[in-house]
């Protein structure tokens, strides 16, 4: 999962993009990048591994001049943390194009060969985003006129939709033209657009992965970019929008609401915060029905995403709600940390159990989801070590039994604790006295209550149904083998590769 942002402003946008990336930091802590277009129509780029606050120093910010820019925060979608794959990417021809991408393409290997055969374009990294950029560039290169018209750009994006498969929400800049944003025909990855009126009544536009990025910069949320839709905003602020997919359908990723998105975001017309409250209500009713004879003394969330759901569960069960864990906020979210060893080491540094809330009690812990089970197992061990009598665990999401191929870093089924296991077996493996999961139907209802117009969700991690073509057992086996190969290959120091693109 990644975060993207793009701004067409009337003054320098470097600080605004920096601030937006900071509030999107939860979407990726592996790398960050910003590219702007300066007054001489040149890209000014800074990208590197690390958090936003560490990647951009004062001298970098001073150099990122221009009224038009895009930014990106990344966590790796294939287990890799190569600095050469930090975004945004750019190509010099045609015009000069920079692009940042959230999602994952599922036909990258085929496309990498195709883009060389058809366009003689070299792909310098293993990133699907660089492939996507070069395909977009190739489609734009087919138009002989300069400058490109809005129809030219929309036609190119229509062709891109026909060529690539998977999930993608993209922001791009074309030198001499402006900012382009587009979303895959299923709307799997989120993208919103907003505007801000300046003191002299000029309009500035912004696109971002989540509405919270608009909020902190006082941009008014206009709407979500629709599945398959493209937005084009010229350098002087002319706004164009067009549907570019032949058969767009709404299948937003349901895991955004479960875990990834910030609670203060509005996504696909749904309040993330409200959806999590409703998840808690649904799960609370299930617990009350199925565990009516279970003696529970206190309800405690595993921070932080599950806090809203846990509060509703405690209310329905008429049990005390307590904050039993103290969180070190300077440790990254474990689920999106690259590499399982780093994830294991971080759990105890990240959370500490407050003995007074656990000792001698039967505790109901609430988590947003259980993915690999590593974190859950270690948390339960920690809770037992401070004297809990019984530990019950409730998950606000159903069992995650299938790989994700659309940009979430859990593609291998064998790494999922619920894969080929019953609920009783999972409980035993993680050391719980009892375990209960949300029903998928209830999870869907909790989100659709906010926006009944969403008829479907991308739920493949729960039900194994993939909305795009070509995801079969052969494809999933290739993913698993590639992941194993990546783990065996030591990460080389590649920072020097960035010097092709990067200004220090």
């Amino acid at each position: 999962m990644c975060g993207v942002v793009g701004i067409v402003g009337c003054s320098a946008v470097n600080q605004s993009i920096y601030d937006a990336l900071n509030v999107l930091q939860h979407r990726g802590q592996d790398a960050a990048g910003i590219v702007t277009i300066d007054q001489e129509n040149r890209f000014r780029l800074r990208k590197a591994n690390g958090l936003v606050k560490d990647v951009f120093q004062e001298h970098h910010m001073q150099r990122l001049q221009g009224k038009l820019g895009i930014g990106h925060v990344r966590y790796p979608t294939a287990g890799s943390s190569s600095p050469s794959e930090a975004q945004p990417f750019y190509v010099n021809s045609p015009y000069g194009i920079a692009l940042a991408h959230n999602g994952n393409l599922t036909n990258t290997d085929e496309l990498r060969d195709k883009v060389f055969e058809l366009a003689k374009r070299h792909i310098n990294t293993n990133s699907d985003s660089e492939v996507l950029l070069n395909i977009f560039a190739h489609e734009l290169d087919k138009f002989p006129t300069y400058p490109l018209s809005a129809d030219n750009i929309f036609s190119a994006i229509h062709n891109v939709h026909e060529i690539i498969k998977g999930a993608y929400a993209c922001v791009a800049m074309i030198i001499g033209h402006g900012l382009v944003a587009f979303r895959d025909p299923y709307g799997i990855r989120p993208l919103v657009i907003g505007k801000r009126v300046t003191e002299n009544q000029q309009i500035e536009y912004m696109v971002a992965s989540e509405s919270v990025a608009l909020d902190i910069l006082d941009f008014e949320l206009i709407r979500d970019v629709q599945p398959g839709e493209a937005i084009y905003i010229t350098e002087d602020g002319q706004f164009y929008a067009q549907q570019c997919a032949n058969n767009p359908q709404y299948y937003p990723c349901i895991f955004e609401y479960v875990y990834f998105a910030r609670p203060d975001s509005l996504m696909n017309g749904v309040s993330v915060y409200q959806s999590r409250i409703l998840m808690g209500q649904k799960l609370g009713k299930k617990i009350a029905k199925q565990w009516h004879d279970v003696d529970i003394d206190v309800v405690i969330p595993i921070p932080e995403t599950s806090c809203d759901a846990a509060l509703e569960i405690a209310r329905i069960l008429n049990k005390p709600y307590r904050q039993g864990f103290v969180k070190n906020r300077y440790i990254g979210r474990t689920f999106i940390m690259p590499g399982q060893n780093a994830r294991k080491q971080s759990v105890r540094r990240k959370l500490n159990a407050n003995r007074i809330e656990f000792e001698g009690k039967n505790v109901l812990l609430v988590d947003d989801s259980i993915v690999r089970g590593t974190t859950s197992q270690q948390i339960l061990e920690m809770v037992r070590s401070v004297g809990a009598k019984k530990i019950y665990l409730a998950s606000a999401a159903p069992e995650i039994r299938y790989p994700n191929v659309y940009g979430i870093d859990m593609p291998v089924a064998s790494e999922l604790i619920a894969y080929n296991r019953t609920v009783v077996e999972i409980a035993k493996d993680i050391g719980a006295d009892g375990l209960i999961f949300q029903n998928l139907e209830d999870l869907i209802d909790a989100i659709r209550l906010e926006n009944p117009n969403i008829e479907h969700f991308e739920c493949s991690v729960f039900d194994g149904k993939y909305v795009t073509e070509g995801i079969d057992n052969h494809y999933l086996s290739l993913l698993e083998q590639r992941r194993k190969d990546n783990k065996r290959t030591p990460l080389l120091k590649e920072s020097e590769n960035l010097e092709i693109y990067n200004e220090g």
Side-chain angles (χ1 to χ4, degrees):
M1 197 66 58
C2 301
V4 298
V5 60
I7 299 178
V8 180
C10 301
S11 58
V13 297
N14 50 358
Q15 185 66 53
S16 293
I17 294 175
Y18 175 90
D19 292 340
L21 293 181
N22 263 311
V23 299
L24 294 176
Q25 187 78 83
H26 60 285
R27 300 188 65 85
Q29 300 163 358
D30 183 61
I34 295 175
V35 60
T36 60
I37 300 177
D38 67 14
Q39 291 181 338
E40 298 179 2
N41 257 3
R42 294 186 301 184
F43 285 131
R44 308 307 297 263
L45 171 64
R46 168 62 181 171
K47 61 178 182 176
N49 274 10
L51 299 175
V52 174
K53 67 180 180 65
D54 299 322
V55 168
F56 302 102
Q57 305 301 315
E58 184 177 353
H59 66 282
H60 300 129
M61 297 298 294
Q62 290 175 345
R63 187 169 37 76
L64 292 169
Q65 297 300 309
K67 301 177 183 179
L68 179 64
I70 60 175
H72 186 269
V73 287
R74 180 194 75 171
Y75 96 86
T77 56
S80 166
S81 301
S82 169
S84 64
E85 295 179 10
Q87 297 187 45
F89 285 103
Y90 87 83
V91 291
N92 293 320
S93 177
Y95 312 109
I97 306 168
L99 178 140
H101 161 223
N102 172 32
N104 189 58
L105 303 188
T106 58
N107 60 337
T108 305
D109 292 341
E110 169 195 338
L111 296 175
R112 184 179 284 107
D113 295 337
K114 185 174 183 179
V115 79
F116 183 79
E117 292 171 8
L118 297 181
K120 301 300 182 287
R121 287 181 172 271
H122 170 68
I123 306 301
N124 204 54
T125 71
N126 293 321
S127 172
D128 61 329
S129 304
E130 189 185 8
V131 174
L132 196 163
L133 167 59
N134 277 273
I135 289 172
F136 181 44
H138 177 58
E139 293 302 319
L140 290 176
D141 206 15
K142 293 179 179 179
F143 299 99
T145 57
Y146 179 85
L148 297 169
S149 67
D151 286 342
N152 292 153
I153 293 171
F154 292 145
S155 177
I157 293 171
H158 172 270
N159 292 341
V160 169
H161 285 325
E162 292 294 296
I163 294 169
I164 67 177
K165 299 174 184 176
Y168 49 96
C170 301
V171 292
M173 295 188 299
I174 307 172
I175 284 182
H177 294 79
L179 183 140
V180 178
F182 54 97
R183 195 176 179 192
D184 72 71
Y186 293 97
I188 297 172
R189 292 286 150 248
L191 196 63
V192 296
I193 184 162
K195 68 178 181 179
R196 180 173 66 184
V197 180
T198 66
E199 292 181 356
N200 59 0
Q201 300 305 301
Q202 292 180 293
I203 297 178
E204 300 177 311
Y205 289 100
M206 177 176 177
V207 293
S209 294
E210 295 187 32
S211 64
V212 65
L214 308 181
D215 295 341
I216 62 108
L217 295 173
D218 292 324
F219 276 78
E220 173 193 353
L221 174 64
I222 299 174
R223 60 180 175 83
D224 294 271
V225 177
Q226 295 302 299
E229 185 184 24
I231 305 291
Y232 171 44
I233 305 162
T234 65
E235 293 173 314
D236 58 1
Q238 297 179 62
F239 181 94
Y240 302 91
Q242 185 171 303
Q243 178 55 251
C244 296
N246 290 333
N247 184 31
Q249 302 176 61
Y250 231 142
Y251 276 84
C253 175
I254 203 165
F255 213 68
E256 291 276 358
Y257 300 94
V258 171
Y259 179 79
F260 278 108
R262 268 182 48 149
D264 45 348
S265 283
L266 191 68
M267 186 177 288
N268 303 303
V270 176
S271 162
V272 176
Y273 169 75
Q274 184 64 27
S275 72
R276 289 174 183 167
I277 287 176
L278 294 172
M279 290 176 206
Q281 292 178 5
K282 297 280 188 181
L283 184 56
K285 291 175 182 177
K286 180 178 180 179
I287 294 170
K289 181 178 180 180
Q290 295 191 6
W291 283 2
H292 57 87
D293 56 345
V294 173
D295 184 19
I296 295 170
D297 297 317
V298 64
V299 177
I300 295 177
I302 298 173
E304 292 177 312
T305 317
S306 63
C307 292
D308 301 325
L311 190 58
E312 287 301 298
I313 291 170
R315 181 184 62 82
I316 290 170
L317 299 181
N318 195 27
K319 300 294 182 181
Y321 170 89
R322 295 288 186 268
Q323 292 285 348
F325 295 98
V326 179
K327 183 176 181 181
N328 180 355
R329 300 181 186 278
Y330 302 99
I331 297 291
R333 296 172 80 171
T334 61
F335 176 51
I336 59 176
M337 286 184 62
Q340 186 78 342
N341 289 336
R343 186 177 298 109
K344 286 180 179 180
Q345 293 167 6
S346 76
V347 173
R348 287 305 295 264
R349 295 199 302 265
K350 180 180 178 181
L351 285 180
N352 189 48
N354 190 351
R355 180 179 293 271
I356 194 172
E357 294 294 354
F358 293 101
E359 193 167 25
K361 297 179 182 179
N362 297 327
V363 181
L364 173 60
L365 300 180
V366 180
D367 208 349
D368 52 73
S369 58
I370 302 172
V371 184
R372 297 170 176 87
T374 309
T375 300
S376 301
Q377 182 184 40
Q378 293 185 26
I379 288 174
L380 267 61
E381 288 175 357
M382 177 169 52
V383 170
R384 287 202 190 278
S385 73
V386 295
K389 283 200 305 184
K390 296 279 188 180
I391 306 173
Y392 304 99
L393 180 60
S395 169
E399 301 95 311
I400 297 172
R401 300 189 185 279
Y402 301 95
N404 180 274
V405 299
Y406 299 125
I408 301 175
D409 185 25
M410 51 178 184
V412 180
S414 59
E415 294 183 1
L416 307 174
I417 195 166
Y419 179 68
N420 280 340
R421 289 184 179 91
T422 65
V423 174
V424 173
E425 289 170 337
I426 299 168
K428 182 179 179 181
D429 285 347
I430 64 176
D433 295 296
L435 175 63
I436 194 166
F437 287 92
Q438 182 90 266
N439 294 331
L440 181 56
E441 295 78 10
D442 286 343
L443 176 61
I444 292 172
D445 288 345
I447 302 169
R448 287 194 70 240
L449 281 171
E450 284 281 289
N451 184 3
N453 293 324
I454 304 177
E455 297 182 2
H456 311 281
F457 287 92
E458 200 294 300
C459 301
S460 58
V461 296
F462 303 125
D463 61 14
K465 299 175 182 177
Y466 300 95
V467 299
T468 59
E469 300 175 7
I471 310 303
D472 52 21
N473 288 334
H474 175 67
Y475 177 86
L476 297 175
S477 296
L478 287 176
L479 272 187
E480 183 162 3
Q481 185 58 50
R482 181 167 300 164
R483 190 175 180 88
K484 290 177 181 177
D485 292 343
N486 286 342
K487 287 181 178 180
R488 284 195 294 264
T489 304
L491 181 63
L492 302 177
K493 185 177 180 181
E494 292 185 335
S495 297
E496 59 269 19
N497 292 358
L498 290 177
E499 299 309 320
I500 300 175
Y501 312 102
N502 212 34
E503 300 179 58

